[in-house]
Each structure stands twice: as C-alpha cells, then as structure tokens.
Amino acid sequence: MTTPPSTPRLALVTCADFPELHPEDAPLIPALAERDIAAEAVIWDDEQVDWSVYDMAVIRSTWDYSSRRLQFIEWARSVPRLVNPPNVVRWNSDKHYLQALEDHGLAVVQTTWLEPGRGYDKRALHNRFPAREDFVIKPAISAGSVGAGRYTATDANSRRYAIEHAMRLLAEGHSVMVQRYMPKVDLHGEIALVYFHGTYSHAMKKEAALTDVGEVAVQDGADVETVERYKATPAEIEAGQAALAFARARIPGRSLSSRPLAYARVDMVPAGDGEPVLMEMELVDPRLHLSVGRRSLDRFADSLAAELRMGPDAANIDLA
C-alpha cells in the first residue's frame, strides 16, 4: 500500500543489529500510524538511504555508534531534520558534559578525568584513585556500561587491576572517568526518569550493572538492562527537570528560550543524605522502556507528532 502524498514520513533510526527496531520501539510504528504519520525503521549508516525523503528522523536504537562517534556526528549533521538534533548528539555522546554540569552547581557523581597523551605512570594513576570505598573506571565515550569496571580502593590487587584498566583505555586513546561508586545503587538500584518535551512521563528502577568487583563490562549494554516500574518522588522529578534545564542552557546552539527536547532520560541515584545525584543524562538514543510507564507509548507518539507540527527549532543546529 502506498503512502498518500500528504502523509508525513518519519524515519525511526536504528542500527544493523536491530534492522526492524528494538522490540521496545516497534510499537511506535502503529502508534504513529494512528496519528496519520507513516513511520519506518531506517539504519543510520546505510549509504543507500535518501534522508531527504523523510519529513523527520528520530534517533532510536543506534547503539553501535560509540566506536564510530565522529562518523555518527557527521551523519547527524547530514540529516535534514533530526530529533534529537546534531548539536545535542555532539554534546551528549561524550560524558565530559557531566563536568560542565558540575561546574555550574548541579549535583553530579564525583568524577576525576584522565586524558590520553598526558603520560601518566602507574604512581600518577594510583594517586588519582579514591583512597576509600569502591570506584569505577570507564571510558568517556561508550555504550551503556561497556568498558566499565568496578574496583575496591583499599584492596591492593583490585587497585592494581584498576591501574591496568585505566592504562589500557588511555593507550587506546580514550578519555577515562574515575567515579566514586554509589553504594545505594546496590541497595536500591539506579533511577531513570523519562521526559517528553520537558514533561515527566514515567520512571523505572534499574539493577546495578557492575555487581562484581574487578569485572569489566564487555556486553553491548543495550539488551541487558533489568528494570521495573518506579514511582518517582517530586524531588526526583524536579531534579531531573533541573538537569534538563541546565543542559538546555549549555548545549551549544541552545538556550532556555529554545523548546525542550522531544525525549530525554535522566539517570540518578540517592546520595548518602537521600538527595538525588545525577549519574547520566541520555539525550541521543536512550532506552525509554515504554512498556514500563502507563500510556507512555502514546505520550511518546504524541511528542513526535507535536515535533512534526511545530517544525524545526532554531536551536537545532550544529555550530562545530
């Protein structure tokens, strides 16, 4: 059956591992059809695709891009109308954005940054690791928890493995994050809140990804999240909205006067005093776990339909 000429065409962007979309996103196609939008799965690096035939492209399960980030950014810049847009892709695909948020006063998990080319020796790395409790080593550009390892500061062998892990990542050209491990992740899990155009939709609780000390995560990360429905507190919802407001004001090309992003996921965990601390902000291709939130599929479809109606946002540009 052919699509009527007046029907908007929307590309749901995926990767070769999920050519028909991830099962969580597949119901978007009939949901958008109910809103008179013809949506289809399209692989981001398929050179045969003519992106100009689509009224809008929405990044979904592009979970293979982290090893080809610059190629992915160039692709994003080539798509006529992309959601979320190229400047957001550039900013959010490198976790250095956490430093920018912390510099402006947001509560972010404590992080030390190690940059390649600095010539760190083992003693220099040792001195940059926490003296107490567990900590995490991971690359600044990665998919999910891939390449991350958890270590114990007071165990000599664990500390040695952490040094080896960091040196290996640095030698491969990665910026390295050294983060304090948040103990409440083991007790309560990590909280993820989803927002559509800045409005809270639903939340989930995720099991800890790094349960074993000394083990480096090597799996894709896209298919291993174990979640359950979670009722977010007003303080958590407000903290997520504050984080998104910080981002809107600081992503190049955006400001508080630009409209909120069509979709966003904010991951956080309670600190010792119970206040939520930002772990990560997923603005490129987050798993939204639409099956967890009541009517969240409809809310996402409505958000995309509204994005189509509103037309391009003047802030959706790439300045680099």
Side-chain angles (χ1 to χ4, degrees):
M1 184 175 67
T2 59
T3 300
S6 60
T7 301
R9 293 187 67 186
L10 187 149
L12 295 171
V13 187
T14 185
C15 64
D17 290 336
F18 300 97
E20 303 299 327
L21 296 176
H22 189 275
E24 290 176 354
D25 285 326
L28 269 174
I29 293 178
L32 289 166
E34 292 175 359
R35 291 156 177 81
D36 297 320
I37 299 169
E40 60 186 283
V42 188
I43 297 172
W44 75 270
D45 57 353
D46 183 347
E47 296 181 356
Q48 304 304 312
V49 175
D50 179 2
W51 296 98
S52 68
V53 304
Y54 296 102
D55 297 279
M56 193 169 75
V58 181
I59 303 176
R60 291 311 309 127
S61 43
T62 57
W63 295 323
D64 62 351
Y65 80 81
S66 60
S67 62
R68 297 178 286 157
R69 175 175 175 264
L70 293 181
Q71 179 186 346
F72 187 69
I73 291 171
E74 286 304 309
W75 164 81
R77 295 174 67 183
S78 74
V79 178
R81 187 174 173 198
L82 186 67
V83 180
N84 285 324
N87 53 342
V88 176
V89 171
R90 178 183 289 277
W91 184 83
N92 189 240
S93 57
D94 183 333
K95 293 183 179 64
H96 279 90
Y97 72 82
L98 290 171
Q99 184 64 59
L101 297 183
E102 184 179 18
D103 288 344
H104 286 84
L106 207 65
V108 176
V109 62
Q110 183 179 345
T111 304
T112 298
W113 301 88
L114 307 173
E115 303 299 341
R118 298 289 178 86
Y120 301 106
D121 59 18
K122 292 182 179 179
R123 178 176 292 276
L125 292 177
H126 172 85
N127 290 337
R128 284 166 173 78
F129 292 166
R132 300 183 302 276
E133 301 178 340
D134 285 5
F135 62 97
V136 173
I137 301 282
K138 62 183 177 182
I141 299 171
S142 65
S145 59
V146 175
R150 176 180 170 183
Y151 303 95
T152 300
T154 54
D155 182 276
N157 282 330
S158 186
R159 206 171 180 88
R160 175 167 59 83
Y161 296 145
I163 290 171
E164 293 172 354
H165 184 185
M167 294 192 77
R168 184 169 63 253
L169 290 173
L170 289 166
E172 293 170 354
H174 297 285
S175 294
V176 174
M177 307 169 67
V178 183
Q179 290 186 317
R180 177 193 167 207
Y181 189 80
M182 305 295 285
K184 288 205 172 183
V185 173
D186 289 337
L187 295 174
H188 304 294
E190 190 173 324
I191 300 161
L193 296 89
V194 175
Y195 299 82
F196 298 133
H197 279 126
T199 300
Y200 171 72
S201 170
H202 61 284
M204 67 222 67
K205 184 183 289 187
K206 304 190 296 176
E207 288 186 359
L210 298 173
T211 54
D212 297 322
V213 175
E215 181 179 353
V216 178
V218 296
Q219 73 274 5
D220 179 314
D223 252 357
V224 297
E225 286 185 341
T226 301
V227 305
E228 61 183 64
R229 182 176 293 151
Y230 176 76
K231 185 180 170 100
T233 67
E236 290 163 347
I237 295 171
E238 184 177 346
Q241 289 172 326
L244 292 174
F246 268 74
R248 276 175 73 193
R250 287 161 184 86
I251 296 174
R254 299 193 69 83
S255 70
L256 287 174
S257 62
S258 58
R259 69 171 174 257
L261 296 170
Y263 59 87
R265 194 181 93 184
V266 180
D267 295 352
M268 60 183 68
V269 65
D273 58 4
E275 291 298 313
V277 173
L278 181 68
M279 297 284 288
E280 208 162 326
M281 187 182 295
E282 295 275 6
L283 309 180
V284 179
D285 53 0
R287 287 186 67 171
L288 300 175
H289 294 285
L290 299 172
S291 62
V292 170
R294 294 184 180 91
R295 296 192 59 79
S296 57
L297 174 64
D298 286 331
R299 285 191 291 275
F300 190 28
D302 287 340
S303 174
L304 298 181
E307 191 76 16
L308 264 172
R309 290 194 302 272
M310 288 186 286
D313 187 337
N316 290 354
I317 58 175
D318 186 51
L319 300 181

